[in-house]
Amino acid sequence: MLLASRSFCCLGIRTYQLQTDLFSRSIKLSASATMAFRHKNTRRIEGLESNMWVEFTKMAADPSIVNLGQGFPDISPPTYVKEELAKASADDRLNQYTRGFGHPSLVEVLSQVYGRVCGRKVDPLTDILVTVGAYGSLFSTIQALIEEGDEVIIIEPFYDCYEPMVKMAGAKPVFIPLRYKNNGNSASSADWVLDPAELADKFNSKTKAIILNTPHNPIGKVFTREELQVIADLCIKHDTLCISDEVYEWLVYKGNQHIKIATLPGMWERTITIGSAGKTYSVTGWKLGWSIGPQNLIKHLQVVHQNMLYTCSTPLQEALAQAFWIDYKRMDDPDCYFYSLSRELESKRDRMARLLQDAGLKPVVPDGGYFMIVDVSTLNVDLSDVDAKQAYDYKFVKWMITSKKLSAIPVSAFCGSETKRQFEKYIRFCFIKKDSTLDAAEVILKNWNKQTA
Amino acid sequence: MSRPVQSRRLEGVDKNIWVEFVKLAATYSTVNLGQVTALSGENHMLHQYTRAFGHPPLVKILAQLFEKLLGQELDPMTNVMVTVGAYQALFCCFQAFVDEGDEVIIIEPFFDCYEQMVTMAGGTPVFVPLRPKAPENGKMMSSADWKLDSAELASKFNERTKAIVLNSPNNPLGKVFSRGELELIADLCVKHDVLCISDEVYEWLVYDGKEHIRIASLPGMWDRTVIIGSAGKTFSATGWKVGWTVGPNRLLQHIRTVHQNSVYHCATAAQEAVAQGFQRELMLYGKPDSYFVQLPKELQKKRDWLVQSLDAAGMKPIIPEGTYFLLADISNFKSDVPDVPNSDEPYDSRFAKWMVKNKGLAAIPLSAFYCGAHKNNYSHFIRFCFVRLGVIIRGGLVV
């Protein structure tokens, strides 16, 4: 400390002197300083301070726990992706600010990729905004287009940030659950559907937007063209916007096709489509996402962006752009990462499903995404002596983490308060994990049966 | 739709001067920041999410550094939060604390986003100008000659005042607020129970042996101040977009709430790189090799060169005590760029456009740093950035 203080003196920072002054004056003013302080949070964030990820990621941080909870890969991103970041970081020209709404080479390649996927021209400067993750895109979209007096339809279960973001914008979330359609023995994400009459009932003159997530987190449902048409028809009828969270767009398994609702007739002009580098390239830590849509909507997202963080990281955007160019050029080739990743994940999905079935559970096999939900009530774990107010799945996951060293996420965390009871027997596993992680999970699940028998 | 599709909160915040006067800032080489990601091939978890409120190695080193600078203990988990640049830190502050009906005092000239952000949060910006006092005969004006009028400042505080935004060292003027000036502000904050949002991104860029004083270290201020800093400005790496807030938990808790509901996580690799940059700097603290010593030394030379050149060219520069900006009075050039009476555009804006077109020299009009009502009060100054001096000035300045 002494050495540091002397060094500080060289720079004219007089910490010792400061501490003496501070002490004597603070005695005098501390009374007034602590007495008057009226500053609490603003109305817009009232009630939004809690976040279940804080609790569950802390619990699962113990390295002895097999973490199938929070959705991030522990597999390595492709080598060329890492190499592009190393190259970009070494280039001094990329250390300074780039274009606020998106680094030119990145928006250019995004316009090419999505122009091709959507079958229409996507202008890189007016139809795209690059954001801090898809999370940032959701926030920019909601802040730009949603306000007090608006209602926003959210399909349950939902990625948990939709509700607080809608509330922070002063609007009212209106929930509608996916319901299990009993098809006999099959347990697939396709069994979970919206009731069209129930959905139509949620739309009214105050409905500003509906948030769609396909492929869906946590269930893994890939909405079919017919299902999207039902939603589209209602959007057009009620002049409602569609916020389409498609971060898992490349992760669809055999027999399924990801369809962009923005490509349905009448939908491009009222849809913001959100994508994610983290999910596309297995680089959740890069925190880059994008919103794509018509200029007359994107321009408002750009206004939010310029008043919120102005630019995203230059080297990360450049690296992402280069990775995208590599895969754009091979979009006709099965080796393109957009397709090879989903093939790799399909076998992990199948393995995860088998492990759970062997343990006597009935997993809901997802058609897309990298999550799988499973009904754990059949295990009959008695948790009635634990805090009765907490949902069963919360209690189950906490118990599973501490006693089985395996983590997952409770699905009721993804539901509005009225629907929590419907989903509290489900927990969500993430399977974008390396083989050794899945091996460790297998050991736990195999032994589970033995212990409880 | 019969009503506008966009939300009302965007009203009046859609214009942005940078779209018109876009420029790249520094090209100064950075401190080992490229090495971390070159190594990331070996640690692929650098490519995945880290702790939402700040990568542990980074918040720990920031806490260590600020403990020394402020002379008090800090908890890295509750007294520090990492943001996407200082810009997002400002956004979180205004969203966390400014409600409709709240007033926020902004000292002019100001970094333009303060007004936009206060407005977007539904608050009312209240402006108070720094006023130039003519220097003694023969001396060049310094940023220290621009001062707040204490009675005028006091008159801006009332029961609706939620916060004051302080920016020291100041962009665009380069002013480094003195202890006396900070005490004036602090006393008013304590008296009226007002928060202080202290934008200190240029904290390491002070010249002539001046001291950057942190208002949070003044009595009664730690509990009501949020300090904002920037890796971009600290390490001349603006493109990495890593910033931070430092303050008491009772304020940071609300900033965390905004952050977790807007971007949630910041990029891991960038935070790891900045943490490593700070590790190096803490080891070199006070030594000649320290970037915090080298950078202001180098920039002071460039400042002095630019001051001399502008003076010789007939402009009247204001010597900045800090930052890498300086203002120059262009009133002598009315013959090249005549006044246009009844023009909507402030004089300095037209001058700056003329200068970039005819002299190949880019600068920002000072009026851009004033609110709409005050744009014509100080419209004969332009702001130069001298951090990439060797590249632009020698090539472009021909008068």
Coordinates of all heavy atoms in Angstrom, one line a residue, chain A residues 11 14-15 22 25 38-39 42-44 49 51 73-74 89 95-97 135 143-144 146-147 150 169 208 239 279 282-287 306-307 309 311 314, chain B residues 1 3 5 7-9 13-14 26 37 44 47-49 87 95-96 98-99 116 121 161-162 183 193 211 217 233 236-241 260 263-265 268:
Chain A
L11 N 2.2 10.9 -9.4 CA 1.2 11.4 -10.4 C 0.3 12.5 -9.8 O -0.7 12.9 -10.4 CB 0.3 10.2 -10.9 CG 1.0 9.2 -11.7 CD1 0.2 7.9 -11.9 CD2 1.3 9.8 -13.1
R14 N -3.0 12.4 -4.2 CA -2.5 12.3 -2.8 C -3.4 11.5 -2.0 O -4.3 12.1 -1.3 CB -2.4 13.8 -2.3 CG -1.4 14.6 -3.2 CD -1.4 16.1 -2.6 NE -2.6 16.8 -2.8 CZ -3.0 17.5 -3.8 NH1 -2.2 17.6 -4.8 NH2 -4.2 18.1 -3.8
T15 N -3.3 10.2 -2.0 CA -4.2 9.4 -1.2 C -4.1 9.6 0.2 O -5.1 9.7 0.9 CB -4.1 7.9 -1.6 OG1 -2.7 7.6 -1.5 CG2 -4.6 7.6 -2.9
L22 N -10.8 13.5 4.1 CA -12.1 12.7 4.0 C -12.6 12.4 5.4 O -13.8 12.6 5.7 CB -11.8 11.4 3.3 CG -12.9 10.6 2.8 CD1 -13.5 11.2 1.6 CD2 -12.5 9.1 2.5
R25 N -13.8 15.7 7.4 CA -15.0 16.3 6.9 C -16.2 15.4 6.9 O -17.3 15.8 7.1 CB -14.8 16.9 5.5 CG -13.9 18.1 5.5 CD -13.8 18.7 4.1 NE -15.0 19.4 3.7 CZ -15.1 20.1 2.6 NH1 -14.1 20.3 1.8 NH2 -16.3 20.7 2.3
R38 N -33.5 10.2 -0.9 CA -34.8 9.8 -1.4 C -34.7 8.9 -2.6 O -35.7 8.6 -3.2 CB -35.6 11.0 -1.7 CG -34.9 11.8 -2.7 CD -35.6 13.2 -2.9 NE -34.5 14.1 -3.5 CZ -34.5 14.5 -4.8 NH1 -35.4 14.1 -5.6 NH2 -33.5 15.3 -5.2
H39 N -33.5 8.5 -3.0 CA -33.3 8.0 -4.4 C -33.6 6.5 -4.4 O -32.7 5.7 -4.0 CB -31.9 8.3 -4.9 CG -31.7 9.8 -5.0 ND1 -32.2 10.6 -6.0 CD2 -31.1 10.6 -4.1 CE1 -31.9 11.8 -5.7 NE2 -31.2 11.9 -4.6
T42 N -36.5 3.9 -10.6 CA -37.5 4.5 -11.4 C -38.7 3.6 -11.5 O -38.5 2.4 -11.3 CB -37.0 4.8 -12.8 OG1 -36.3 3.7 -13.3 CG2 -36.1 6.0 -12.8
R43 N -39.8 4.1 -11.9 CA -41.0 3.3 -12.0 C -40.8 2.2 -13.1 O -41.3 1.1 -12.9 CB -42.2 4.1 -12.4 CG -42.8 5.0 -11.2 CD -44.1 5.6 -11.7 NE -43.9 6.6 -12.7 CZ -43.6 7.9 -12.5 NH1 -43.4 8.4 -11.3 NH2 -43.5 8.7 -13.6
R44 N -40.1 2.5 -14.1 CA -40.0 1.6 -15.2 C -39.3 0.2 -14.8 O -39.6 -0.8 -15.5 CB -39.3 2.2 -16.4 CG -37.8 2.4 -16.2 CD -37.1 3.0 -17.5 NE -37.7 4.3 -17.8 CZ -37.4 5.5 -17.4 NH1 -36.4 5.6 -16.4 NH2 -38.0 6.6 -17.8
E49 N -36.2 -6.4 -10.5 CA -34.9 -6.7 -10.1 C -34.5 -8.1 -9.9 O -33.3 -8.5 -10.0 CB -34.6 -5.9 -8.7 CG -35.5 -6.4 -7.6 CD -36.9 -5.7 -7.6 OE1 -37.1 -4.8 -8.4 OE2 -37.7 -6.2 -6.8
N51 N -34.0 -12.1 -10.9 CA -33.7 -12.8 -12.1 C -33.2 -14.2 -11.7 O -32.3 -14.3 -11.0 CB -32.6 -12.0 -12.9 CG -32.3 -12.6 -14.2 OD1 -31.8 -13.7 -14.3 ND2 -32.7 -11.9 -15.2
P73 N -22.9 -23.3 -25.1 CA -22.1 -24.5 -25.5 C -20.9 -24.7 -24.6 O -20.3 -23.7 -24.2 CB -21.7 -24.2 -26.9 CG -22.4 -22.9 -27.3 CD -22.8 -22.2 -26.1
D74 N -20.5 -25.9 -24.3 CA -19.2 -26.1 -23.8 C -18.3 -26.8 -24.9 O -17.2 -27.1 -24.6 CB -19.1 -26.8 -22.4 CG -19.6 -28.3 -22.5 OD1 -19.9 -28.8 -23.6 OD2 -19.6 -28.9 -21.4
S89 N -8.3 -8.9 -33.7 CA -7.8 -8.2 -32.5 C -6.4 -7.7 -32.7 O -6.0 -6.7 -32.1 CB -7.7 -9.2 -31.4 OG -8.9 -9.9 -31.2
N95 N -9.4 -1.2 -33.7 CA -9.5 -0.9 -32.3 C -10.4 0.3 -32.0 O -10.6 0.7 -30.9 CB -8.1 -0.7 -31.7 CG -7.4 -2.0 -31.4 OD1 -8.0 -2.9 -31.0 ND2 -6.1 -2.0 -31.8
Q96 N -10.8 1.0 -33.1 CA -11.6 2.2 -32.9 C -13.0 2.0 -33.3 O -13.4 1.0 -33.9 CB -10.9 3.4 -33.6 CG -9.5 3.6 -33.2 CD -9.2 3.6 -31.7 OE1 -10.0 4.0 -30.9 NE2 -8.0 3.1 -31.4
Y97 N -13.9 3.0 -33.0 CA -15.3 3.0 -33.3 C -15.6 2.6 -34.8 O -14.9 3.0 -35.6 CB -15.9 4.3 -33.1 CG -16.0 4.8 -31.6 CD1 -15.6 6.1 -31.3 CD2 -16.6 4.0 -30.6 CE1 -15.7 6.5 -30.0 CE2 -16.6 4.4 -29.3 CZ -16.2 5.7 -29.0 OH -16.3 6.2 -27.7
Y135 N -30.5 -10.4 -27.3 CA -31.0 -9.8 -26.1 C -31.2 -8.3 -26.3 O -32.2 -7.7 -26.1 CB -30.1 -10.0 -24.9 CG -30.8 -10.1 -23.5 CD1 -31.1 -11.4 -23.0 CD2 -31.0 -9.0 -22.8 CE1 -31.6 -11.5 -21.7 CE2 -31.6 -9.1 -21.5 CZ -31.9 -10.4 -21.0 OH -32.4 -10.5 -19.7
Q143 N -38.3 -1.2 -26.9 CA -38.2 0.2 -26.5 C -38.7 1.1 -27.6 O -39.2 2.1 -27.4 CB -36.8 0.5 -26.1 CG -36.4 0.1 -24.7 CD -37.0 0.9 -23.6 OE1 -36.9 2.1 -23.6 NE2 -37.7 0.2 -22.7
A144 N -38.4 0.6 -28.9 CA -38.7 1.5 -30.0 C -40.1 1.5 -30.4 O -40.7 2.5 -30.8 CB -37.9 1.0 -31.2
I146 N -42.9 -0.2 -28.5 CA -43.9 -0.6 -27.5 C -43.9 0.5 -26.4 O -42.9 0.9 -25.9 CB -43.6 -2.0 -26.8 CG1 -43.3 -3.1 -27.8 CG2 -44.6 -2.4 -25.8 CD1 -44.5 -3.4 -28.7
E147 N -45.1 0.8 -25.9 CA -45.2 1.8 -24.8 C -46.4 1.6 -24.0 O -47.2 0.7 -24.2 CB -45.2 3.2 -25.4 CG -46.4 3.5 -26.3 CD -46.2 4.8 -27.0 OE1 -45.3 5.6 -26.6 OE2 -46.9 5.1 -28.0
D150 N -50.0 -0.2 -24.5 CA -50.0 -1.3 -25.4 C -50.1 -2.6 -24.7 O -49.7 -2.8 -23.5 CB -48.6 -1.3 -26.1 CG -48.5 -0.2 -27.1 OD1 -49.5 0.4 -27.6 OD2 -47.3 0.2 -27.5
A169 N -41.2 -1.3 -20.7 CA -41.7 -0.4 -21.7 C -43.0 0.2 -21.3 O -43.6 0.9 -22.1 CB -41.7 -1.1 -23.1
K208 N -50.3 -4.4 -29.6 CA -49.3 -3.7 -30.4 C -48.4 -4.8 -31.1 O -48.0 -4.6 -32.3 CB -48.4 -2.8 -29.6 CG -47.4 -2.0 -30.3 CD -48.2 -0.9 -31.1 CE -47.3 -0.2 -32.1 NZ -46.5 0.9 -31.6
D239 N -53.7 -5.5 -37.4 CA -52.6 -4.5 -37.7 C -51.6 -4.6 -36.5 O -51.3 -3.6 -35.9 CB -53.1 -3.1 -37.9 CG -52.1 -2.2 -38.4 OD1 -51.1 -2.6 -39.0 OD2 -52.2 -0.9 -38.2
K279 N -25.7 -18.0 -31.0 CA -26.3 -19.3 -31.3 C -25.9 -19.8 -32.6 O -25.8 -21.0 -32.8 CB -27.8 -19.1 -31.2 CG -28.4 -18.5 -29.9 CD -28.0 -19.3 -28.7 CE -28.8 -18.9 -27.5 NZ -28.2 -17.7 -26.8
S282 N -21.9 -20.7 -32.0 CA -21.5 -21.2 -30.7 C -20.6 -20.3 -30.0 O -19.6 -20.7 -29.4 CB -20.9 -22.6 -30.8 OG -21.7 -23.5 -31.6
V283 N -20.8 -19.0 -30.0 CA -20.0 -18.0 -29.4 C -20.8 -17.0 -28.5 O -20.9 -15.8 -28.8 CB -19.1 -17.2 -30.4 CG1 -18.0 -18.0 -31.0 CG2 -20.0 -16.6 -31.5
T284 N -21.5 -17.6 -27.5 CA -22.5 -16.7 -26.8 C -21.8 -15.5 -26.1 O -22.4 -14.5 -25.9 CB -23.1 -17.6 -25.6 OG1 -22.1 -18.1 -24.8 CG2 -24.0 -18.7 -26.2
G285 N -20.4 -15.7 -25.9 CA -19.7 -14.6 -25.2 C -19.3 -13.4 -26.2 O -18.8 -12.4 -25.7
W286 N -19.7 -13.5 -27.4 CA -19.4 -12.4 -28.3 C -20.5 -11.4 -28.2 O -20.2 -10.2 -28.6 CB -19.3 -12.9 -29.8 CG -18.0 -13.7 -30.1 CD1 -17.2 -14.4 -29.2 CD2 -17.4 -13.8 -31.4 NE1 -16.2 -15.0 -29.9 CE2 -16.2 -14.6 -31.2 CE3 -17.7 -13.3 -32.7 CZ2 -15.4 -14.9 -32.3 CZ3 -16.8 -13.6 -33.7 CH2 -15.7 -14.4 -33.5
K287 N -21.6 -11.8 -27.8 CA -22.7 -10.8 -27.6 C -22.9 -9.9 -28.8 O -22.8 -8.7 -28.8 CB -22.5 -10.0 -26.4 CG -22.7 -10.7 -25.1 CD -24.2 -11.2 -24.9 CE -25.1 -10.0 -24.7 NZ -26.5 -10.5 -24.2
Q306 N -28.8 4.4 -30.9 CA -27.9 5.5 -30.8 C -28.0 6.3 -29.5 O -27.2 7.1 -29.2 CB -28.1 6.4 -32.0 CG -29.2 7.5 -31.9 CD -29.6 8.1 -33.2 OE1 -29.2 7.7 -34.3 NE2 -30.3 9.2 -33.1
N307 N -29.1 6.0 -28.8 CA -29.3 6.7 -27.5 C -29.0 5.7 -26.3 O -29.3 6.0 -25.2 CB -30.7 7.2 -27.3 CG -30.9 8.5 -28.2 OD1 -30.2 9.5 -28.0 ND2 -31.7 8.4 -29.2
L309 N -26.3 2.6 -26.7 CA -24.9 2.3 -26.6 C -24.1 2.7 -27.9 O -22.9 2.6 -27.9 CB -24.7 0.8 -26.3 CG -25.5 -0.2 -27.0 CD1 -24.7 -0.8 -28.2 CD2 -25.7 -1.4 -26.1
T311 N -22.5 2.1 -30.5 CA -21.8 1.2 -31.4 C -21.6 -0.1 -30.7 O -21.4 -0.1 -29.4 CB -20.4 1.6 -31.9 OG1 -19.7 2.1 -30.7 CG2 -20.5 2.8 -32.8
T314 N -16.0 -3.3 -32.5 CA -15.5 -3.4 -33.8 C -14.8 -4.7 -34.1 O -15.2 -5.4 -35.1 CB -14.5 -2.2 -34.1 OG1 -15.1 -1.0 -33.7 CG2 -14.2 -2.1 -35.6
Chain B
M1 N -51.6 1.8 -39.5 CA -51.8 2.3 -38.1 C -52.2 3.7 -38.1 O -51.6 4.5 -38.7 CB -50.6 2.0 -37.3 CG -50.5 0.6 -36.9 SD -49.0 0.2 -35.9 CE -49.0 -1.5 -36.1
R3 N -52.0 5.7 -35.4 CA -51.0 6.5 -34.7 C -49.6 6.0 -35.1 O -49.5 5.0 -35.7 CB -51.3 6.4 -33.2 CG -51.1 5.0 -32.6 CD -51.3 5.0 -31.1 NE -51.5 3.7 -30.6 CZ -50.5 3.0 -30.0 NH1 -49.4 3.5 -29.7 NH2 -50.7 1.7 -29.6
V5 N -46.1 4.3 -35.4 CA -45.7 2.9 -34.9 C -44.7 3.0 -33.8 O -44.7 2.1 -32.9 CB -45.2 2.1 -36.1 CG1 -43.9 2.6 -36.6 CG2 -45.1 0.6 -35.8
S7 N -42.6 4.3 -30.4 CA -43.0 4.8 -29.1 C -42.8 6.2 -28.9 O -41.9 6.8 -29.5 CB -42.3 3.9 -28.0 OG -40.9 4.0 -28.2
R8 N -43.5 6.8 -28.0 CA -43.4 8.3 -27.7 C -42.0 8.6 -27.1 O -41.5 9.7 -27.3 CB -44.5 8.8 -26.8 CG -45.8 9.0 -27.4 CD -46.8 9.6 -26.5 NE -47.1 8.8 -25.3 CZ -48.1 7.9 -25.2 NH1 -48.9 7.8 -26.2 NH2 -48.2 7.1 -24.2
R9 N -41.3 7.7 -26.4 CA -40.1 8.0 -25.8 C -39.0 8.4 -26.8 O -38.0 8.9 -26.4 CB -39.6 6.8 -24.9 CG -39.2 5.5 -25.7 CD -38.7 4.4 -24.8 NE -39.6 4.0 -23.8 CZ -40.6 3.1 -24.0 NH1 -40.7 2.6 -25.2 NH2 -41.5 2.7 -23.1
V13 N -35.4 12.6 -29.9 CA -34.1 12.0 -29.7 C -33.6 11.3 -30.9 O -32.6 10.6 -30.9 CB -34.0 11.0 -28.4 CG1 -34.5 11.8 -27.2 CG2 -34.8 9.8 -28.6
D14 N -34.3 11.6 -32.1 CA -33.9 10.8 -33.2 C -32.7 11.4 -34.0 O -32.1 10.8 -34.8 CB -35.1 10.7 -34.2 CG -35.8 12.0 -34.4 OD1 -35.8 12.9 -33.5 OD2 -36.4 12.2 -35.5
A26 N -9.1 8.0 -32.3 CA -7.6 7.7 -32.2 C -7.2 6.5 -33.0 O -7.9 5.6 -33.3 CB -7.3 7.4 -30.7
T37 N -7.0 -12.3 -27.3 CA -7.9 -13.1 -28.2 C -7.0 -14.0 -29.1 O -7.5 -15.0 -29.5 CB -8.7 -12.2 -29.0 OG1 -8.0 -11.1 -29.5 CG2 -9.9 -11.6 -28.2
H44 N -11.4 -21.9 -24.9 CA -12.6 -21.6 -25.7 C -13.7 -21.1 -24.9 O -14.7 -20.5 -25.4 CB -13.0 -22.7 -26.6 CG -13.5 -24.0 -25.9 ND1 -14.8 -24.1 -25.5 CD2 -12.8 -25.1 -25.5 CE1 -14.9 -25.3 -24.8 NE2 -13.7 -25.9 -24.9
H47 N -15.1 -17.6 -25.3 CA -16.1 -17.3 -26.3 C -17.6 -17.5 -25.8 O -18.5 -17.3 -26.6 CB -15.9 -18.2 -27.6 CG -14.6 -18.0 -28.2 ND1 -14.3 -16.9 -29.0 CD2 -13.4 -18.7 -28.2 CE1 -13.1 -16.9 -29.4 NE2 -12.5 -18.0 -28.9
Q48 N -17.7 -17.8 -24.5 CA -19.0 -18.0 -24.0 C -19.4 -17.0 -22.9 O -18.5 -16.2 -22.5 CB -19.2 -19.5 -23.4 CG -18.8 -20.6 -24.3 CD -19.5 -20.5 -25.7 OE1 -20.6 -20.0 -25.9 NE2 -18.8 -21.1 -26.7
Y49 N -20.6 -17.0 -22.5 CA -21.1 -16.0 -21.5 C -20.2 -16.0 -20.3 O -19.7 -17.0 -19.9 CB -22.5 -16.4 -21.0 CG -23.6 -16.3 -22.0 CD1 -24.5 -17.4 -22.1 CD2 -23.9 -15.1 -22.7 CE1 -25.6 -17.3 -23.0 CE2 -25.0 -15.1 -23.6 CZ -25.8 -16.2 -23.7 OH -26.9 -16.1 -24.5
Y87 N -20.9 4.8 -22.7 CA -22.2 5.2 -23.2 C -23.3 4.4 -22.6 O -24.4 4.9 -22.2 CB -22.2 4.9 -24.8 CG -23.0 5.9 -25.6 CD1 -22.4 7.0 -26.2 CD2 -24.4 5.7 -25.8 CE1 -23.1 7.9 -27.0 CE2 -25.1 6.5 -26.6 CZ -24.5 7.6 -27.2 OH -25.2 8.5 -28.0
Q95 N -31.8 5.6 -17.0 CA -33.0 4.7 -17.0 C -33.3 4.2 -15.6 O -34.4 4.0 -15.2 CB -32.7 3.4 -17.9 CG -32.8 3.7 -19.3 CD -34.2 4.0 -19.9 OE1 -35.1 3.2 -19.7 NE2 -34.3 5.1 -20.6
A96 N -32.2 4.1 -14.8 CA -32.4 3.6 -13.4 C -33.0 4.7 -12.5 O -33.7 4.4 -11.5 CB -31.1 3.1 -12.8
V98 N -34.0 8.3 -13.6 CA -34.7 9.5 -14.1 C -36.1 9.1 -14.5 O -36.3 8.3 -15.4 CB -34.0 10.2 -15.2 CG1 -34.8 11.4 -15.8 CG2 -32.6 10.7 -14.8
D99 N -37.1 9.6 -13.8 CA -38.5 9.3 -14.1 C -39.1 10.6 -14.8 O -38.5 11.7 -14.7 CB -39.3 9.0 -12.8 CG -39.6 7.6 -12.7 OD1 -39.9 6.9 -13.7 OD2 -39.6 7.1 -11.5
Q116 N -30.1 13.7 -24.9 CA -31.0 12.7 -25.5 C -31.4 11.7 -24.5 O -32.6 11.3 -24.5 CB -30.2 12.0 -26.6 CG -29.4 12.9 -27.6 CD -30.2 13.3 -28.8 OE1 -31.2 14.0 -28.7 NE2 -29.8 12.8 -29.9
A121 N -35.6 9.2 -21.2 CA -36.1 8.7 -19.9 C -37.3 9.5 -19.3 O -37.7 9.2 -18.2 CB -34.9 8.7 -18.9
T161 N -35.1 18.4 -8.9 CA -33.7 18.0 -9.4 C -33.4 16.6 -8.9 O -33.2 16.4 -7.7 CB -32.7 19.0 -9.0 OG1 -33.1 20.3 -9.2 CG2 -31.4 18.7 -9.7
K162 N -33.2 15.7 -9.9 CA -32.8 14.3 -9.5 C -31.3 14.1 -9.5 O -30.8 13.5 -8.7 CB -33.5 13.4 -10.6 CG -33.3 11.9 -10.2 CD -34.3 11.6 -9.0 CE -33.9 10.4 -8.2 NZ -34.7 9.3 -8.4
E183 N -16.2 21.1 -5.1 CA -16.8 21.3 -3.8 C -18.1 22.1 -3.9 O -19.1 21.8 -3.2 CB -15.9 22.0 -2.8 CG -14.9 21.0 -2.2 CD -13.7 21.7 -1.5 OE1 -13.6 23.0 -1.5 OE2 -12.9 21.0 -0.9
D193 N -30.0 16.9 -1.8 CA -30.2 15.4 -2.0 C -30.3 15.1 -3.5 O -31.3 14.5 -3.9 CB -31.4 14.9 -1.2 CG -31.5 13.4 -1.2 OD1 -30.4 12.8 -1.4 OD2 -32.6 12.9 -1.0
E211 N -4.2 17.7 -11.5 CA -4.7 16.5 -10.8 C -6.2 16.3 -11.2 O -6.9 17.3 -11.2 CB -4.6 16.7 -9.3 CG -5.1 15.5 -8.5 CD -5.2 15.8 -7.0 OE1 -4.7 17.0 -6.6 OE2 -5.7 15.0 -6.3
S217 N -14.9 11.3 -4.1 CA -14.0 11.2 -2.9 C -14.3 12.4 -2.0 O -13.7 12.5 -0.9 CB -12.6 11.2 -3.3 OG -12.2 12.4 -4.0
K233 N -11.3 4.9 -23.7 CA -10.5 6.1 -23.6 C -9.2 5.8 -22.8 O -8.2 6.4 -23.1 CB -11.3 7.2 -22.9 CG -12.6 7.5 -23.5 CD -12.4 8.2 -24.9 CE -13.7 8.7 -25.4 NZ -14.6 7.7 -26.1
S236 N -7.1 3.8 -25.4 CA -7.1 4.2 -26.8 C -7.7 3.1 -27.6 O -7.1 2.8 -28.7 CB -5.8 4.6 -27.3 OG -5.2 5.6 -26.4
A237 N -8.7 2.4 -27.2 CA -9.3 1.3 -27.9 C -10.8 1.4 -27.9 O -11.5 0.6 -27.4 CB -8.9 0.0 -27.3
T238 N -11.3 2.5 -28.5 CA -12.7 2.8 -28.4 C -13.6 1.7 -29.0 O -14.7 1.5 -28.6 CB -13.1 4.1 -29.1 OG1 -12.6 4.0 -30.4 CG2 -12.4 5.3 -28.4
G239 N -13.0 1.0 -29.9 CA -13.8 -0.1 -30.6 C -14.1 -1.3 -29.8 O -14.9 -2.2 -30.2
W240 N -13.5 -1.4 -28.6 CA -13.7 -2.6 -27.8 C -15.0 -2.4 -27.0 O -15.6 -3.4 -26.5 CB -12.5 -2.8 -26.9 CG -11.4 -3.4 -27.6 CD1 -10.5 -2.7 -28.4 CD2 -11.0 -4.8 -27.8 NE1 -9.6 -3.6 -29.0 CE2 -9.9 -4.8 -28.7 CE3 -11.6 -6.0 -27.3 CZ2 -9.3 -6.0 -29.0 CZ3 -11.0 -7.2 -27.6 CH2 -9.9 -7.2 -28.5
K241 N -15.4 -1.2 -26.8 CA -16.7 -0.9 -26.1 C -16.8 -1.6 -24.7 O -17.7 -2.5 -24.5 CB -17.9 -1.3 -27.0 CG -18.1 -0.4 -28.2 CD -18.5 1.0 -27.8 CE -19.9 1.1 -27.3 NZ -20.3 2.5 -27.1
Q260 N -29.6 -5.9 -16.6 CA -30.0 -7.3 -16.8 C -31.3 -7.3 -17.7 O -31.6 -8.4 -18.2 CB -30.2 -8.0 -15.5 CG -31.6 -7.9 -14.9 CD -31.7 -8.3 -13.4 OE1 -30.7 -8.6 -12.8 NE2 -32.9 -8.5 -12.9
V263 N -29.1 -5.5 -21.9 CA -28.2 -6.3 -22.7 C -27.7 -7.5 -21.9 O -27.3 -8.5 -22.5 CB -26.9 -5.5 -23.1 CG1 -27.3 -4.3 -23.9 CG2 -26.1 -5.0 -21.9
Y264 N -27.8 -7.4 -20.6 CA -27.5 -8.5 -19.7 C -26.0 -8.9 -19.6 O -25.4 -8.7 -18.6 CB -28.3 -9.8 -20.1 CG -28.5 -10.7 -18.9 CD1 -28.2 -10.3 -17.6 CD2 -29.1 -12.0 -19.1 CE1 -28.4 -11.2 -16.5 CE2 -29.3 -12.8 -18.0 CZ -28.9 -12.5 -16.8 OH -29.1 -13.3 -15.7
H265 N -25.4 -9.4 -20.7 CA -24.0 -9.7 -20.6 C -23.2 -8.8 -21.5 O -23.7 -8.4 -22.6 CB -23.7 -11.2 -21.1 CG -24.3 -12.2 -20.2 ND1 -25.6 -12.6 -20.4 CD2 -23.8 -12.9 -19.2 CE1 -25.9 -13.6 -19.5 NE2 -24.8 -13.8 -18.8
T268 N -17.2 -11.3 -23.5 CA -16.3 -11.9 -22.6 C -14.8 -11.6 -23.0 O -14.0 -11.1 -22.1 CB -16.4 -13.4 -22.5 OG1 -17.8 -13.8 -22.3 CG2 -15.6 -14.1 -21.4

